[in-house]
Amino acid sequence: MARGNLRIFLGAAPGAGKTFAMLEEGRRLRAEGADVVVGAVSVRGRAETEALLQGLEQCPPPSKAAGSAEAAATDLDVGAVLDRAPGVVLVDDYAGTNSRGSSRWEQVAVLLDAGIDVISTLDIRHLESLSDVVQSITGIREQNTVPDKAVRGADQIELVDASPELLRRRLGEGKIYPSQEEADLALAGDFRTGTLTALRELALLWLAERVDAGLSDYRTLNNIRDSWQTREKVVVGLSGQADGQTLIRRAARMLAGAAGGELHVVHVRTGTDGDELFAGKELELQRRLAQDAGGVFHTVGGEDVAATLLEFARSINASQIILGTSRQRRLAQFGRGIVAKVLRTAGGIDIHLVAQDAARTGSSRRTASLGRRRELPAFALAAGLPPLLQLALDLLPHQQLSTDMLVQLTGIVAVALVGGLWPAVVAAALAGLIVNYFSVRPIGSLSVLDPENVLALLIFLIVAVAVSLVVDRSAKRSKEARLAGAEASILGELSRRAVAEGNSIPDFLEQVREHFQASGAGLWIRRQTGHRKAGDWTLHEYSGAARPEAMTEADSVEQLDGDRILSLTGRELSQDERRLLAAFGAHLLAMLQREELTASQRENLRLAEGNTMRTSILRAVSHDLRTPLAGIKLASSSLRDRTITFGQDEQEELLATIESGADRLDRLVSNLLDMSRITADSVSPLISPTYWADVVGEAIRGNASERLRVLLPDNMPPVDADPGMLERVIANLVENALKYAPESDVVIAGAVGGSGSARIGDMPASELTVVDHGVGIPAEEVLAMFRPFQRADDTTPGTGIGLGLAVAKGFTEAMGGVLLAEPTPGGGLTMVVRLPLSTGAAPTTSPRGHHAGSADSR
């Protein structure tokens, strides 16, 4: 019997429409004549789902006592379905379990083995391989998961997508959870915008990977080597020369109009090209440019550059490759043979050759030298070693010409090891003459009578030069490798110390001076004058003994930019050392720019906050503080007026006015003092493990509003907070919600373990939400809402000076937490207080979650 087909509708979260899509497909198949039954479905009181269920056969049939489609079985009865033997069965929630604890995906496997086609639904959060990722997003470990093998084995997977905004709107309209309490809890948990966005991206990426894997398997199975241009993927080949940045920019422009295009920048390291060892600075600049352009930088190894580049391009199914070439018909990017090979073997991949000026390509090769200290002794050895070897041969009895040649060849190799190619060539020429004179007949003459001896001497010279060339290249590569390793180690240590120790500019200059063993290292900055002159430089920072008076005293300089120069005194640098000094200079420039940006940002923020605070305090003093003072003054003056007689009720009313005005003044002054403490960074919270329920109970004590509801889970863990500050934060948020949503309920809710965004840095956190269903505020005004002295446009005068949310935000951040604002689906505002979970000892007082969370608090 053939195995049945499995089709899965995949979604990011409840409410995306998976069950709706499954039932619609079932109705379509039934209309086409297929034998379709419903094995298990979750209606959850949704009218649209119940309407789709009408007319579809259920197996087993619902109980007549239920009287509606609400009685549709949530358990899958495998035995009943097998007895019915339909063509297609609809099974909702592929990751679910029945009342006896059996996994639904295992039950579906039984139906598939029986040859029955199954259509099911699945949330991305229930995939076993993604459980850790989902937990980091939602803060909850899913108990019911499905092995990836059981999902990837499906014959068809379709994504049912819905935007986070649509899901939250459906939640607000009651289309996901019929209970308002369930909806409010979801708003504080999994239905946060960030959580839904992350889950949606996870579903899209997982499905995209499955599509790519399926395409790759198909291409491998059918031995397809040519690229299929399903979307634009451009590969830029780099050699480390200066023209690489032009190539990357050209590729970025080509992809600008291609939706979904990918940019891959590739540098092939062969280990045989000396230029690679000196391209570190350029490659680092090109890596940053590639990342800024939205691309990915790759470094791959291989001896054959063309083959390696094409293999990489085919592995990602690239559509285009971009290489650089000189305008003087010299293929400067990789060399003539490599580019030609790429062109010959590219197959279906388009090749773009970008012309560059020779000066810009920087294609001149630099060959490492073994140095005069080795070459001069090697020339002396080349002149003396062949005669000495011939003298030794004369003392040893032998008859074969080959013996002389092998001994002399050994000497040539020794010369090559010492001094490289050219001393070895001199030694080979001299050894050839000596062998010819002393060992080839006629002895004592340079003439050769036997043609075979001519051939032997010629082969000897060729082999000697070839061996010398190989030994020379090996010696130079060894030296280059040592130099490159030393430079990499130096730059790596430089970066490590800069990150780990946060070096200052003087410390960095001291590192430069120590490395180059110079007497001093300095940073020069151009004077800000009207006309630039050669001497308009001042020494900004210096490390060393004697400070130079002018930059002309420096022995080596490296221009960082138009206004800054790095200098060394006391030592001349070689070409290799100058290249390393340039790398130090690039790092120093980055440090300077970072310091300037940080200082500028800090100063601008300080000035802006100071100006805002001064202006707002003046406004508050001139209006908001004077209003209650005027009421107090009027009431007290009236009571003191002996010419007026007030009744008992009138006196009580005037005294109440004085008391209300004094209370209002006290609140205003307290907020002003709190705001000044926050602005001056003088808030010192006393952090301790704190239960949400304890603080919420104190914050709403005395608030008799009938519109206030508290829905806190009983088992919310404690957080690290200052109880007094946290109580003030919650009280301000509740007061703000009641004030700006006068006709809606205000719900204080929380989620056990927090939601997907419930992390502060790398620390797990817990969240409390204050939800109202008022008019809300526009998204562009959310940030301004937390600034001091901000009030809604429709607020009547005399309702406060707009410091409540600013104080709440300042106190929350002082405790190491975060205060956020989000729109409530259906209208309104949701305030989110996020604090780190406590890692210390739990408070001695027991949590009061039972009385605060199990019923509405008034």
Side-chain angles (χ1 to χ4, degrees), residues 321-493:
I321 296 177
I322 298 179
L323 304 175
T325 179
S326 169
R327 296 184 186 276
Q328 284 76 25
R329 300 178 180 269
R330 184 161 56 91
L331 300 178
Q333 180 70 18
F334 288 105
R336 183 183 299 275
I338 295 174
V339 174
K341 185 174 181 180
V342 171
L343 290 171
R344 288 196 307 269
T345 59
I349 305 177
D350 296 336
I351 308 298
H352 297 268
L353 299 181
V354 179
Q356 299 287 322
D357 293 331
R360 294 178 59 189
T361 61
S363 58
S364 58
R365 295 178 56 86
R366 180 190 180 278
T367 304
S369 172
L370 296 179
R372 291 185 177 275
R373 292 183 179 181
R374 293 180 59 175
E375 289 180 350
L376 292 178
F379 277 114
L381 186 62
L385 186 57
L388 291 175
L389 292 177
Q390 183 60 44
L391 179 61
L393 287 170
D394 291 341
L395 298 177
L396 297 175
H398 66 283
Q399 300 294 329
Q400 299 295 327
L401 177 62
S402 58
T403 302
D404 297 73
M405 291 183 174
L406 289 176
V407 171
Q408 291 290 351
L409 184 60
T410 304
I412 294 169
V413 171
V415 173
L417 287 172
V418 174
L421 176 62
W422 295 112
V425 170
V426 172
L430 182 57
L433 293 174
I434 290 176
V435 170
N436 186 11
Y437 189 84
F438 289 98
S439 302
V440 178
R441 295 180 181 179
I443 303 299
S445 172
L446 295 179
S447 61
V448 182
L449 299 178
D450 190 348
E452 291 186 1
N453 289 336
V454 175
L455 180 61
L457 286 172
L458 182 60
I459 293 175
F460 168 75
L461 290 174
I462 294 174
V463 171
V465 173
V467 171
S468 300
L469 181 61
V470 171
V471 174
D472 174 71
R473 289 175 62 88
S474 176
K476 289 179 179 179
R477 293 295 176 263
S478 177
K479 181 179 180 180
E480 290 170 355
R482 289 195 301 271
L483 290 174
E487 291 181 4
S489 177
I490 292 167
L491 294 177
E493 178 65 15

Side-chain angles (χ1 to χ4, degrees), residues 141-452:
R141 183 79 177 188
E142 295 294 339
Q143 299 299 319
N144 298 331
T145 58
V146 183
D148 281 47
K149 183 178 180 181
V151 179
R152 294 184 183 276
D155 300 276
Q156 188 175 353
I157 299 179
E158 296 184 26
L159 181 67
V160 182
D161 189 30
S163 67
E165 293 76 15
L166 177 59
L167 289 172
R168 287 169 62 85
R169 186 163 67 249
R170 289 177 179 175
L171 182 67
E173 295 171 352
K175 295 182 178 180
I176 300 178
Y177 299 116
S179 166
Q180 183 61 43
E181 182 173 326
E182 285 184 294
D184 289 335
L185 289 174
L187 285 175
D190 294 347
F191 273 74
R192 297 280 305 284
T193 301
T195 304
L196 294 174
T197 301
L199 291 174
R200 184 190 189 195
E201 181 179 12
L202 192 63
L204 291 170
L205 289 175
W206 185 88
L207 193 60
E209 289 175 0
R210 185 176 186 273
V211 172
D212 285 343
L215 178 61
S216 178
D217 292 342
Y218 178 83
R219 286 163 52 83
T220 301
L221 182 64
N222 292 273
N223 195 27
I224 298 174
R225 297 281 294 168
D226 294 337
S227 293
W228 285 2
Q229 300 180 12
T230 53
R231 56 177 169 171
E232 290 294 341
K233 294 183 180 181
V234 178
V235 173
V236 178
L238 298 180
S239 67
Q241 305 298 337
D243 64 331
Q245 298 189 39
T246 302
L247 301 181
I248 295 171
R249 294 189 182 97
R250 177 65 60 86
R253 290 196 299 270
M254 291 172 59
L255 284 173
E262 296 179 8
L263 173 61
H264 297 267
V265 180
V266 182
H267 174 62
V268 180
R269 290 191 179 274
T270 63
T272 60
D273 188 355
D275 288 348
E276 290 181 356
L277 302 173
F278 311 103
K281 182 179 179 180
E282 282 296 335
L283 286 174
E284 176 62 21
L285 295 175
Q286 291 161 17
R287 181 187 66 81
R288 294 178 184 175
L289 180 60
Q291 292 177 345
D292 292 341
V296 183
F297 187 90
H298 307 269
T299 300
V300 296
E303 293 300 322
D304 189 332
V305 176
T308 303
L309 184 64
L310 285 172
E311 182 179 357
F312 174 85
R314 292 191 180 104
S315 69
I316 64 169
N317 198 24
S319 58
Q320 302 180 61
I321 296 177
I322 298 179
L323 304 175
T325 179
S326 169
R327 296 184 186 276
Q328 284 76 25
R329 300 178 180 269
R330 184 161 56 91
L331 300 178
Q333 180 70 18
F334 288 105
R336 183 183 299 275
I338 295 174
V339 174
K341 185 174 181 180
V342 171
L343 290 171
R344 288 196 307 269
T345 59
I349 305 177
D350 296 336
I351 308 298
H352 297 268
L353 299 181
V354 179
Q356 299 287 322
D357 293 331
R360 294 178 59 189
T361 61
S363 58
S364 58
R365 295 178 56 86
R366 180 190 180 278
T367 304
S369 172
L370 296 179
R372 291 185 177 275
R373 292 183 179 181
R374 293 180 59 175
E375 289 180 350
L376 292 178
F379 277 114
L381 186 62
L385 186 57
L388 291 175
L389 292 177
Q390 183 60 44
L391 179 61
L393 287 170
D394 291 341
L395 298 177
L396 297 175
H398 66 283
Q399 300 294 329
Q400 299 295 327
L401 177 62
S402 58
T403 302
D404 297 73
M405 291 183 174
L406 289 176
V407 171
Q408 291 290 351
L409 184 60
T410 304
I412 294 169
V413 171
V415 173
L417 287 172
V418 174
L421 176 62
W422 295 112
V425 170
V426 172
L430 182 57
L433 293 174
I434 290 176
V435 170
N436 186 11
Y437 189 84
F438 289 98
S439 302
V440 178
R441 295 180 181 179
I443 303 299
S445 172
L446 295 179
S447 61
V448 182
L449 299 178
D450 190 348
E452 291 186 1

